[in-house]
């Protein structure tokens, strides 16, 4: 059975620089033996601001969009989050989507993080590690940190040659941590 990885794209901007990153991450992930990766775009889930009566740790959200998001993400064996850095952290759209998750969706699953910004997305990557820690998710050590100036050319995502191998290395760590 292949290990199925969801690649979650965290920006919902219509002109998101990260849409192409998510596609690249999924394609690079699928190069690893025994892995199937698919992109999940938050724009396809239309999640309103989390405003449920009960926390997801107590009850599945009632909002149908929240249920669909939980069911879809929960169907994967592992998750890679692709996040820009907004104001030294992850975008509110991604935090809101994570706030909707019931614990079992990420609990005991391996996760990986890809960040990008004018400062390599490193603060977003590290904040996301903290957030994912609340789920008892195992965030693997290797991450991918892309620079909007050097990994894009005239607005097109053109990862530097030395990036080759970075996503597979992260994915191999995810595979090793997945039962
Ligand atoms: C609201 C907002 C806040 C941002 N804050 C930062 C920041 O703190 N550090 C940084 O390096 N880039 C920052 N940027 C630049 C983004 O990282 C860059 O524009 C990136 O392409 C945004 O990702 P997206 O196009 O996928 O939405 C910010 C961009 C936005 C829209």
């Amino acid at each position: 059975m292949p290990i199925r990885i969801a690649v979650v794209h965290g920006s919902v901007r219509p002109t998101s620089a990260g849409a192409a990153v998510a596609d690249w991450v999924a394609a690079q992930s699928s190069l690893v033996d025994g892995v199937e990766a698919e992109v999940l775009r938050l724009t396809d889930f239309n999640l309103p601001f989390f405003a449920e009566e009960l926390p997801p740790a107590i009850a599945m959200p009632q909002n149908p969009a929240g249920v669909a998001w939980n069911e879809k993400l929960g169907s994967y064996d592992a998750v890679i989050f692709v996040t820009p850095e907004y104001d030294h952290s992850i975008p509110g759209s991604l935090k809101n989507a994570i706030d909707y998750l019931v614990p079992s969706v990420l609990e005991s699953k391996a996760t990986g993080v890809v960040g990008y910004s004018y400062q390599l997305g490193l603060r977003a990557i590290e904040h996301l590690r903290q957030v994912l820690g609340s789920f008892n998710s195992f965030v693997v050590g290797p991450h991918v940190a892309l620079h909007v100036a050097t990994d894009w050319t005239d607005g097109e995502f053109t990862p530097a040659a030395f990036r080759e191998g970075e996503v597979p290395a992260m994915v191999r760590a995810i595979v090793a941590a997945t039962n």
Side-chain angles (χ1 to χ4, degrees), residues 11 13 16-18 84-88 116-119 123 148:
S11 168
R13 290 197 318 121
S16 168
E85 180 172 311
Y86 283 6
D87 299 317
H88 295 191
Y116 57 96
S117 80
Y118 290 97
Q119 289 145 341
R123 289 169 292 216
V148 171

